[in-house]
Amino acid sequence: MQVVAVVPAYNESQVIGAAIGGLRPFVNDVVVVDDGSADRTGECARQAGAVVLRHFINRGQGAAIFTGIRYALELGADYIVTFDADGQHRAEEVSKLIEPLLLGRFDVALGSRFLEQGRVNMPVSRRWLLKLAVRFDRLRTGLRITDTHNGLRAFSRQAAEKIHLTQDRMAHASQILDEIARLQLRYVEVPVKVQYTVYTRVKGQPGFFGSLRILRDLLLSRMFR
Amino acid sequence: MLKWVTLVFVAWMLLRIFHRLRRHELGRGEAGGWVGLWLVVLAAAWFPHGTDVVAQWFGVGRGADLLIFISIVALFALVSWLLTRVEKIEREITIVVRETALRDVKEAGGRERGGVNGGRKISNF
């Protein structure tokens, strides 16, 4: 069984080594997609033992994830995990995401911060934005989800082969849900913890204007498909 | 005064069109379209009340109002065409960047260089 972690990274030289080190016991390979970083992200990732693909210009997290998935499939991955480089995910939870897929009952496992009460430690503004995004994505896709824009996910090989991402930036997370609905993939949410540090708050998920940009990207892609 | 400025401007645009036509940078159909458009602009400047008649056909009071209305519609059409083009070009750039990254890592023998566990074992399942 081949489990490959795909880690999109943009200017993450400070933390990428730790992220890869944490992942090592839980996966066969770590594929880092250096998305046109201006720092030593690629070099640090390679030193930590990852296979590094480099986008020669920055194309966004969605583009990097899809590049990583493509390469993971070429490596012969049976299961593909997406994992953020900024240290907000806990590597030991990779096993929890893979487990439901191993039984063959699900094609996709999505990490959720909101499944268990009292486990969420996030800024209030981000919490409200995410709640709003969840409502919006539920309405659009019809999926019964509790979290969206959580970078920790796992796909079976069959699911990863079918999913096609064209959203290059942050809207890819919503597009993954679109694809799950379109392809009628069997999905499950798995409770995970997200660690908010000063670094992840600065580097991490989009704020209000970032959310507007996601909305714009989604609408544009529907208008001009 | 405005009439003469428009005349000079339109004459200059027509010269440019003929020049591009001679250098085969424009097709005959496209050149004809541009010539027609600039002649309409010239006619509107020289016979402003003539546009009022056309405006009446569309149920608009004044020719100037009709021109503003047409301009807004044309701008919307142009913006949406440009957005479509930009979206398409963005996607094509991403494909080029992606394929280059995949080709480069294959040429460098990606797994031999990195590969956390060399794909051989996994300890936590």
Side-chain angles (χ1 to χ4, degrees):
Chain A
M1 182 185 69
Q2 180 90 353
V3 180
V4 176
V6 169
V7 183
Y10 178 61
N11 292 340
E12 303 279 13
S13 61
Q14 289 177 51
V15 291
I16 190 79
I20 295 166
L23 277 167
R24 289 180 73 147
F26 302 97
V27 298
N28 298 83
D29 275 306
V30 178
V31 172
V32 169
V33 182
D34 175 6
D35 192 22
S37 300
D39 65 2
R40 295 174 57 246
T41 296
E43 201 182 322
C44 294
R46 201 170 290 114
Q47 280 168 5
V51 181
V52 179
L53 284 83
R54 178 166 168 79
H55 283 179
F56 62 84
I57 50 171
N58 179 255
R59 296 309 299 153
Q61 195 184 41
I65 284 177
F66 197 49
T67 301
I69 289 175
R70 283 268 312 271
Y71 188 65
L73 288 171
E74 289 185 21
L75 283 179
D78 299 306
Y79 301 97
I80 297 171
V81 178
T82 62
F83 194 92
D84 286 357
D86 61 4
Q88 65 172 276
H89 300 315
R90 294 155 59 115
E92 59 269 28
E93 292 186 322
V94 166
S95 316
K96 282 168 61 183
L97 270 102
I98 299 288
E99 266 171 22
L101 308 186
L102 285 174
L103 300 171
R105 286 171 49 214
F106 299 101
D107 306 304
V108 183
L110 303 164
S112 171
R113 286 160 276 198
F114 300 109
L115 269 181
E116 287 182 20
Q117 293 294 325
R119 299 190 70 184
V120 186
N121 169 34
M122 73 169 70
V124 177
S125 59
R126 183 157 291 171
R127 179 195 295 260
W128 279 103
L129 270 177
L130 280 169
K131 292 275 183 194
L132 209 63
V134 167
R135 297 269 163 132
F136 179 66
D137 279 334
R138 274 188 189 177
L139 206 65
R140 287 182 329 107
T141 62
L143 302 184
R144 296 168 64 85
I145 46 162
T146 60
D147 195 1
T148 181
H149 296 270
N150 187 324
L152 189 53
R153 320 172 186 87
F155 303 92
S156 68
R157 180 179 183 85
Q158 290 72 22
E161 280 173 338
K162 290 178 192 161
I163 286 174
H164 185 76
L165 296 182
T166 53
Q167 288 289 352
D168 290 344
R169 292 176 283 269
M170 297 305 286
H172 74 276
S174 297
Q175 197 184 24
I176 287 173
L177 301 177
D178 287 343
E179 288 291 273
I180 290 171
R182 181 179 72 84
L183 298 163
Q184 296 185 315
L185 298 173
R186 299 164 303 167
Y187 67 96
V188 62
E189 281 196 308
V190 175
V192 296
K193 275 185 180 167
V194 171
Q195 302 165 117
Y196 289 98
T197 62
V198 174
Y199 185 83
T200 62
R201 284 177 201 209
V202 173
K203 289 280 297 185
Q205 293 189 334
F208 177 70
F209 289 106
S211 304
L212 286 183
R213 193 171 173 180
I214 291 171
L215 199 60
R216 184 202 69 183
D217 286 346
L218 286 174
L219 291 175
L220 279 181
S221 72
R222 288 198 180 276
M223 280 171 72
F224 304 119
R225 191 173 297 190
Chain B
M1 178 64 183
L2 188 65
K3 287 178 180 180
W4 294 104
V5 172
T6 311
L7 180 67
V8 171
F9 183 71
V10 170
W12 181 59
M13 292 309 289
L14 290 176
L15 274 175
R16 276 176 56 96
I17 290 166
F18 287 124
H19 189 57
R20 292 186 66 193
L21 188 64
R22 278 176 56 187
R23 291 197 303 182
H24 303 289
E25 289 174 10
L26 275 182
R28 281 173 181 273
E30 200 181 351
W34 282 113
V35 169
L37 178 79
W38 288 116
L39 289 180
V40 168
V41 170
L42 191 64
W46 278 75
F47 309 104
H49 294 297
T51 57
D52 290 351
V53 178
V54 181
Q56 299 281 331
W57 298 344
F58 291 95
V60 181
R62 293 185 312 156
D65 294 339
L66 179 67
L67 284 177
I68 290 168
F69 178 73
I70 290 171
S71 305
I72 290 170
V73 171
L75 281 174
F76 267 109
L78 180 69
V79 167
S80 98
W81 180 78
L82 284 174
L83 281 174
T84 313
R85 292 287 302 165
V86 169
E87 184 83 8
K88 188 168 176 283
I89 291 166
E90 287 262 0
R91 287 184 185 184
E92 286 171 354
I93 290 171
T94 298
I95 290 169
V96 170
V97 171
R98 176 172 296 131
E99 295 304 325
T100 306
L102 289 167
R103 189 200 61 199
D104 288 350
V105 77
K106 277 180 227 162
E107 281 178 7
R111 172 173 278 177
E112 282 69 39
R113 287 187 307 153
V116 176
N117 298 320
R120 285 188 297 276
K121 66 181 177 67
I122 187 157
S123 57
N124 286 62
F125 290 98

